[in-house]
Amino acid sequence: MRDKKEILMVDTIIHFMVHNQVFTLFICMALGFAIGDYKIGGRFSIGATVATLVVTLIVGQIGAFPRDEMLGTIFFGAFMFSVGYRIGPQMLTSLKIFGSRILIISIFWLVAAFLVSWGLFVVFHIGPGVASGIIAGSLTQSSTVASSLRTIGALPVSSAVRSTYEAQLPVAYALTYVFGTLGVIIFLRDIAPKLLGIKVSTRGPLMARKYHFHAKNPNPTWRRTYRLNADSPLVGKTIGGFNKWSHYRLIALVAFHGDEMTDHLEYKLQPGDLITVIGYAIHFDRMHGIKGINEVLTPTKAPRERKFVLGKNFKPTQLAHLRQHGVFINIQDPDTGNEQLFNQLRPGDVISLTGNTSRTSAILKKMGRWHTSALAINYSLFSLGIAGASLLGILGVKLNGIPLQLGNGVAALLMGLALSTWISRHRDHDSIPPTVTAFFQNLGLTLFVGTVGLQSAQAFTGAIKSLGIGVLFIGAIIAIAPHLLTLLFGRYVLHMEPLALIGGLTGSGTCAAAMTEIADQAGSEGGAYFAAALTPAYIMGNVGITLLGPIFVALLA
């Protein structure tokens, strides 16, 4: 009797999990994120995407889960859009520095990957499902899973054959992903620098200095508050008089008399008052020589710095009027940290203002617009990107009579690139914060792969038996061969700078773990140079590898 109750309870739980797929999916994702963060050997982790796939393939053995197409498509589109949006603004900068050679390297890498893969697939008689899974796993491009499944769904084959292909794909992906990550990290981080005769830790800073890459400069402004004693020479001066006395290098933002705060320029400072002063750090030497003042903590009510975008009617002479009205101007770009000069400021540049700007509202209206908050989210921009991707993804051609569409993923990446480039030139409009794009980048792909794993789990055991050890061998060759061939081409044909070449290889292969490892070796400034080299190749690689899967599905069907 007890056994029957236990069996009934298990059946009830299984029934609940199968018919409440959202619950099951997110439980699997929670486990996947926890397992994916675990460091193997203290350094390498398989990541949440692969871990979630493994968990869903195991959990999916309990029953047949229908795949939620809309849920997976929406979040996969959000993932690819976020990737494009995050790297878009640096694309043009990178191309100006490295020219077309980075693009040539990326194209050569993709051609090499295609030819090596095609040769192996033909020799070993690999079918569409396994081939696209190997491409996705060995080249660590999870978006290829989605693009390949879309093409498999359009194949003119029976439902049984289609189901077999759909089951083989995630298994081949999971089996080849680990070496596709570990093997490529070892090759790019340890072997490639030795083949090129460099040490990344010394080459990175050297090239960063040559091309003027540097870590973001800290904010050069100081904000200090002083209590005035009766013998202070500042007593009796007005706030405006203090500003003029310092030649407007230091600006008195506010004065506190007891519990009252004032920023009126005509207010005369009295003994016991607190005065909050702002300026560049190098100009505070003037305050150190004044008697009768004691530095104290700055009250929280003191004005805060705000970003301002210069407009087309901006004139440098307008800045002098702001200073005379008690507004401090920090001309360092708060977004990039780059130093700027007053006479070199142009429309579109960003500066920071601190003080009572209501007195200069007319001037500010002519000068430009306030920069949006870093926490502001442009929901319309995000929605437009996903909608545009759905429309753009319909475009395609036919290969072997099979429709080969651009796909929602690649289209979303391109929309992210386009919109982020536009918003970087119009910084007075709300953007999408990096925290939001990072969230969708991590969650979107993991959720999509989770839906694939649950749907394919029932055929997992049969698929893994049919694949055999040969899949690992083929995946290892496809993971390394394009890097080795492209390294030789870039070194001896294009004569590229070695670290930029490694950046091009890393970007073309879209191996995020290798990017992090090599950037850490290069240091903060060398890492910026390395990141600039890999950005154009990373975009090309994302698009190219995502399309390789559907291409092989069409060729091998």
Side-chain angles (χ1 to χ4, degrees), residues 104-105 108-109 112 187-188 191-192 194-197 480-496 498 501-502 505:
I104 294 172
I105 279 293
F108 185 91
W109 189 97
F187 180 84
L188 293 175
I191 299 175
K194 291 180 180 178
L195 293 176
L196 295 170
I480 299 300
H483 288 290
L484 179 59
L485 294 172
T486 308
L487 183 145
L488 297 174
F489 174 76
R491 177 65 166 168
Y492 296 107
V493 178
L494 296 183
H495 305 289
M496 286 187 64
L501 175 55
I502 295 175
L505 296 175

Side-chain angles (χ1 to χ4, degrees), residues 116-137:
V116 169
S117 302
W118 196 9
L120 290 170
F121 294 156
V122 171
V123 170
F124 290 95
H125 305 289
I126 302 297
V130 178
S132 54
I134 292 175
I135 291 294

Side-chain angles (χ1 to χ4, degrees), residues 59-260:
V59 172
Q61 301 298 317
I62 65 175
F65 287 83
R67 185 165 159 226
D68 193 328
E69 292 279 353
M70 179 172 288
L71 184 67
T73 300
I74 290 174
F75 275 90
F76 179 70
F79 156 73
M80 291 297 284
F81 177 83
S82 299
V83 170
Y85 197 88
R86 295 186 79 181
I87 64 178
Q90 191 163 353
M91 174 74 169
L92 295 178
T93 302
S94 299
L95 289 176
K96 288 179 182 178
I97 297 172
F98 300 104
S100 60
R101 285 181 297 175
I102 288 291
L103 297 181
I104 294 172
I105 279 293
S106 186
I107 293 170
F108 185 91
W109 189 97
L110 289 168
V111 171
F114 171 77
L115 294 176
V116 169
S117 302
W118 196 9
L120 290 170
F121 294 156
V122 171
V123 170
F124 290 95
H125 305 289
I126 302 297
V130 178
S132 54
I134 292 175
I135 291 294
S138 60
L139 302 183
T140 62
Q141 183 54 262
S142 302
S143 61
T144 306
V145 175
S147 59
S148 300
L149 284 174
R150 179 189 290 268
T151 306
I152 288 173
L155 290 177
V157 296
S158 66
S159 59
V161 173
R162 186 180 296 110
S163 297
T164 300
Y165 292 160
E166 291 175 345
Q168 290 173 336
L169 192 157
V171 177
Y173 163 73
L175 289 175
T176 55
Y177 187 93
V178 175
F179 183 83
T181 301
L182 273 176
V184 170
I185 288 175
I186 293 171
F187 180 84
L188 293 175
R189 182 193 64 195
D190 303 320
I191 299 175
K194 291 180 180 178
L195 293 176
L196 295 170
I198 66 167
K199 191 174 182 181
V200 172
S201 58
T202 55
R203 188 75 178 186
L206 178 66
M207 300 312 298
R209 287 193 295 272
K210 180 178 179 179
Y211 288 97
H212 307 291
F213 280 87
H214 55 78
K216 183 176 178 178
N217 295 317
N219 193 325
T221 61
W222 278 8
R223 183 192 300 258
R224 298 290 186 266
T225 299
Y226 303 94
R227 185 183 300 279
L228 306 185
N229 299 325
D231 60 340
S232 172
L234 299 181
V235 171
K237 286 185 178 293
T238 62
I239 290 179
F242 172 89
N243 297 339
K244 189 174 181 180
W245 165 79
S246 69
H247 303 290
Y248 300 102
R249 293 189 177 93
L250 300 175
I251 297 292
L253 295 175
V254 290
F256 295 89
H257 184 73
D259 294 331
E260 296 182 3

Side-chain angles (χ1 to χ4, degrees), residues 521-546:
Q521 280 190 351
S524 59
E525 296 182 353
Y529 171 81
F530 172 75
L534 72 83
T535 297
Y538 183 72
I539 296 170
M540 295 284 289
N542 268 282
V543 175
I545 300 174
T546 301

